[in-house]
């Protein structure tokens, strides 16, 4: 190992300083002196941006992580990605199977643990029916893992109780895309961010939750100072630092604001009549087809001056936002949990699509409604492969007999042998555990005891139910309720595919061997299924490569075409965007456009074709304003909202293991507006008690102007101060996604 | 008499030397105990106190120019925080603590294509910072002059 002069002097100085102090130098994880033996291509473990990474391995150990220059992120990583390596070597890693004996989790052999788990599944199915067992997965599991688990439960055990945490984060976005365009997933890609001249960001703190995309937006504005950025959010976050217009809305007024922007666009005649006349149907909330004039009448209730009090946004700002949106040459909308985690999240999604459809700002480079996702493989693993209780792979539905029959044929099952009844959605599933109807659950790579809303209510069910968990970290609170724990190979310890926000699928290649007795989750799932008694012919796989090949075949001939995304290509290329029908197809940047989308024949007469809908027209839905399930008022005058911070990711089981992050950001806090704080005598750092109808909790205050007056914010990463004990579990009747973002609370200095 | 004088002089010299040694020793003792081996004042705070790794909060008071430069820089706008490049001052972080991060190791994690290009053109540089100021590489021209943060600052 070569040591530079500079390093030698530095080390010598450090060594003498340590000698003088009489202490030995501490072991450091990695530094400039360590030489990387080989770089292995992968995808970041954290958010849905899906940044490409290169994992630096030395002596069989990951010592550093850098950005993949060939992936969409062009080498850039955020602070979490740049400090990913230590997570792998956390001392909290589960490395042996564990089973609960006399209330304690103790080490066991693989055989013992697998047999115990399998016997409980068999027992429950024999005693009642297949609906008494369930799978609760994750947008962090590999595509192959989710596809396999879904097949084991739906085809092998005949239980459609297959759910996952994406129900908590993007079910409303799915509902929005499906109801407006007929097919799930965005039509655009990150390339649109480099061409947009207007960004409309609503309900997203892009800067902290998708930092690498935020950098791309900021770079776009830097390259062209005429680019306009509109942020609509009740919090003035770091994202607003680059905004030209920040609309500080009242929580729960999103639907009214979006309709009001449509009002301005239509009344100022900024709509693209030629586009919407040809490619759009206008529909009432009751699915009745109407004309553009009826839509205008519907919008009459949303004149900016009439809703400014409700929205808390000056009418002039709504007008300005609408004008910028419609008059810019290319507009991209971005949204995330602020829109999705609402009791009318699907409607809010529809209304964003409406703005693009009436202005024709869609299907052109730089113009697209792009929903941001929170997890690395929620789009890929769960949405596309059908890892939810009402879905079958590639956009097929359980309730449709024709769809079931297609899968039965492909999976080599007798006709009409799949269970025709959709399973329980996430919140109903955990309620069924409370009620004792679901008796055994398998969770994979998720931490529901922290991430569910109104979480205390559901811990009863977690205790009652026999819990089998595949979980990498022993300090995940959900393991308090686990009866069997299987240790999985983590991140780059096995090979598999992640699919990110822009429909891009990329391979996470195995870089190192898993520690202890950890095994890839696909092998754990296969072993468990065989012991439960699933037909071996259904799961004839050796590894995740075999599962990927089957998924490609299952997706072929559907609009979700993965056939050309072979394992070999994924090894060479840093991600490919579906639809991709053949091995020489480069992947698709823009869907629904002739010449771009391989699902549209080149001789199709029209430029656009929304083939998800029977008549090829997208839908402009007339969705009315709907307040939150529990708006602030009366005894609970404040609105409580929750969210993420840039340092931590989800339940902090990973970011909590990075010393730099854990020590700079150990605790949750409550953000209070300066005016509110002054009125109540709260100073920075004071203890503040938050009380909702579900409980109370005390946090240190951070006083500032991020939150609007009347709003308080608490990040949800901290298991010690678990804000989800206070959040509400009201759900969107369409998407079944809970309204984490808004509930009423009291604020009191203690 | 001369001997006595010489003896006296020697005594004074000895006393001065002894005092110097004691004085110097106490300074050395103070610096070695009050400030850790890495010579960063923050290191001692890291051993106790919550959010001790939050460098920015203290640096805003102790080195306001550096803190403000960072806040206004690209790294500040993108929230590339202190510890991402510098590690933790007491050396317990996952990367080595360094006041001057090594470009080959630290910068390459995000700017590999740029570092490689510069290396090809001019050979590996010891400091990217000589030309591309880590803390004050501001967002060029007036792209953000009308943005919310500027408006707020002007008020």
């Amino acid at each position: 190992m070569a040591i530079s002069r500079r390093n030698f002097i530095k080390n010598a100085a450090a060594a003498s300083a340590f000698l003088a102090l009489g202490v030995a130098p501490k072991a450091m994880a990695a530094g400039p002196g360590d030489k990387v033996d080989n770089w292995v291509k992968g995808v970041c473990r954290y958010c849905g941006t899906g940044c490409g990474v290169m994992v630096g391995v030395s002596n069989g150990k990951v010592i550093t992580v850098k950005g993949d220059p060939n992936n969409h992120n062009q080498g850039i990583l955020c602070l979490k990605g740049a400090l990913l390596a230590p997570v792998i070597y956390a001392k909290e890693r589960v490395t042996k199977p564990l089973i609960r004996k006399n209330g304690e989790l103790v080490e066991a052999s693989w055989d013992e643990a697998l047999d115990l788990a399998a016997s409980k599944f068999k027992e429950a199915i024999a005693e009642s029916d297949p609906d008494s067992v369930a799978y609760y997965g994750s947008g962090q599991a590999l595509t192959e893992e989710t596809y396999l688990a879904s097949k084991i439960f739906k085809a092998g055990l005949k239980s459609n109780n297959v759910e996952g945490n994406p129900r908590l984060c993007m079910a409303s976005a799915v509902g929005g895309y499906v109801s407006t365009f007929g097919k799930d997933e965005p039509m655009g890609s990150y390339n649109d961010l480099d061409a947009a001249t207007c960004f409309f960001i609503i309900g997203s703190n892009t800067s902290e939750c998708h930092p690498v995309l935020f950098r791309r937006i900021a770079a776009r504005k830097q390259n062209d100072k005429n680019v306009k950025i509109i942020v609509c959010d009740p919090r003035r976050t770091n994202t607003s630092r680059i905004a030209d217009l920040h609309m500080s809305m009242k929580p729960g007024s999103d639907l009214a604001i979006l309709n009001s922007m449509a009002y301005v666009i239509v009344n100022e005649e900024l709509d693209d009549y030629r586009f919407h006349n040809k490619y759009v149907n206008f529909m009432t909330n009751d699915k009745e087809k109407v004309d553009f004039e009826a839509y205008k009448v519907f919008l009459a209730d949303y004149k900016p001056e009439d809703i400014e009090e409700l929205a808390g946004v000056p009418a002039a700002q709504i007008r300005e936002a609408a004008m910028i949106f419609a008059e810019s040459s290319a507009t991209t909308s971005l949204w995330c949990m602020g829109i999705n985690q609402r009791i009318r999240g699907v409607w809010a999604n529809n209304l964003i699509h409406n703005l693009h459809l009436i202005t024709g700002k869609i299907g052109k480079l730089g113009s697209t409604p792009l929903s941001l996702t929170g997890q690395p493989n929620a789009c890929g693993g769960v949405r596309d492969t059908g890892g939810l209780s009402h879905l079958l792979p590639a956009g097929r539905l359980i309730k449709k007999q024709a769809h079931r029959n297609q899968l039965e044929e492909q999976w080599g099952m007798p006709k009409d042998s799949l269970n025709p009844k959709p399973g329980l959605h996430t919140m109903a599933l955990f309620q069924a555990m409370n009620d004792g109807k679901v008796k055994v659950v398998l969770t994979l790579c998720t931490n529901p005891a922290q991430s569910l809303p109104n979480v205390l209510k559901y811990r009863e069910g977690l205790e009652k139910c026999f819990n089998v968990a595949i979980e990498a970290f022993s300090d995940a609170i959900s393991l308090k309720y686990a009866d069997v724990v299987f240790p999985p190979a983590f991140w780059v310890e096995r090979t598999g595919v992640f699919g990110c926000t822009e429909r891009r699928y990329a391979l996470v290649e195995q870089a190192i061997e898993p520690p202890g007795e950890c095994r890839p989750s696909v092998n754990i799932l296969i072993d468990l299924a065989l012991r439960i008694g699933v037909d071996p012919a259904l799961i004839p796989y050796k590894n995740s490569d075999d599962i990927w090949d089957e998924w490609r075949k299952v997706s072929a001939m559907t609009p979700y075409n993965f056939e050309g995304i072979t394992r070999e290509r994924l090894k060479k290329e840093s991600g490919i965007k579906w639809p991709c029908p053949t091995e020489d197809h480069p992947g698709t940047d823009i869907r629904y456009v002739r010449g771009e989308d391989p699902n549209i024949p080149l001789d199709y007469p029209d430029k656009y074709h929304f083939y998800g809908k029977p008549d090829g027209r997208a839908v402009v839905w007339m969705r009315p304003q709907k307040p939150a399930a529990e708006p602030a008022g009366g005894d609970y005058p404040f609105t409580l909202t929750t969210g993420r911070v840039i340092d931590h990711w989800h339940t902090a089981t990973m970011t909590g293991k990075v010393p730099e992050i854990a020590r700079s950001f150990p605790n949750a806090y409550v953000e209070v507006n300066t005016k509110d704080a002054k009125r109540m005598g709260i100073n920075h750092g004071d203890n503040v008690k938050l009380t909702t109808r579900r409980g109370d909790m005390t946090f240190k205050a951070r006083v500032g102007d991020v939150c609007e007056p009347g709003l308080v914010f608490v990040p949800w990463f901290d298991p010690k101060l678990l804000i989800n004990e206070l959040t509400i579990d009201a759900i969107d009747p369409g998407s079944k996604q809970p309204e984490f973002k808004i509930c009423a609370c009291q604020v009191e200095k203690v | 008499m001369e001997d006595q004088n010489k003896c006296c002089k020697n005594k004074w010299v000895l006393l001065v030397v002894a005092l110097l040694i004691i004085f110097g020793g106490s300074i050395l003792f103070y610096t070695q105990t009050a400030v850790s081996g890495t010579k960063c004042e923050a290191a001692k705070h890291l051993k106790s106190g919550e959010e001790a790794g939050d460098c920015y909060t203290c640096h805003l008071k102790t080195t306001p120019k550096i803190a403000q430069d960072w806040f206004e820089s690209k790294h500040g706008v993108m929230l590339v925080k202190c510890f991402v490049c510098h590690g933790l001052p007491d050396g317990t972080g996952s990367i080595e603590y360094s006041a001057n991060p090594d470009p080959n190791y630290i910068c390459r994690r995000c700017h590999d294509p740029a570092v490689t290009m510069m290396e090809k053109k001019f050979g590996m540089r010891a400091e990217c910072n000589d030309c591309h100021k880590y803390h004050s590489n501001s967002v060029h021209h007036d792209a953000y002059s009308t943005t919310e943060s500027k408006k707020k600052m002007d008020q």
Side-chain angles (χ1 to χ4, degrees), chain A residues 237-355:
Chain A
T237 62
N238 193 66
T239 307
S240 296
R241 280 188 76 185
I242 64 163
D244 297 277
L245 173 63
H246 175 92
M247 298 158 82
S248 199
M249 55 175 278
K250 278 187 194 162
S253 63
D254 37 15
L255 297 145
I257 290 174
L258 291 163
N259 275 331
S260 190
M261 285 175 66
Y263 172 93
V264 176
I265 290 168
V266 168
N267 282 277
E268 297 290 332
E269 300 191 359
L270 295 170
D271 60 311
D272 184 343
Y273 188 81
R274 204 172 155 182
F275 181 89
H276 66 68
N277 188 40
K278 189 166 182 183
Y279 298 112
V280 167
N281 286 326
F282 293 89
M283 291 230 196
T284 67
N285 222 2
D286 304 321
K287 298 188 183 172
E288 190 195 332
K289 211 160 124 182
V290 291
D291 60 6
F292 181 54
E293 292 307 313
Y295 178 60
K296 273 173 139 173
V297 172
F298 162 78
L299 291 177
D301 291 345
Y302 297 95
K303 195 176 170 192
E305 288 70 18
D306 295 344
I307 65 140
E308 65 179 351
E309 199 189 323
L310 168 99
V313 180
Q317 278 192 4
I318 297 176
R319 287 184 180 276
E320 192 187 346
M323 306 279 259
I324 298 172
F325 187 103
E327 288 182 327
S328 296
S329 55
T331 302
T332 289
S333 296
L334 299 158
W335 68 98
C336 199
M337 294 312 130
I339 287 290
N340 294 343
Q341 290 175 340
R342 281 275 282 115
I343 50 157
R344 280 300 176 187
V346 176
W347 291 8
N349 272 267
N350 291 144
L351 296 186
I352 295 172
H353 299 318
N354 285 2
L355 295 179

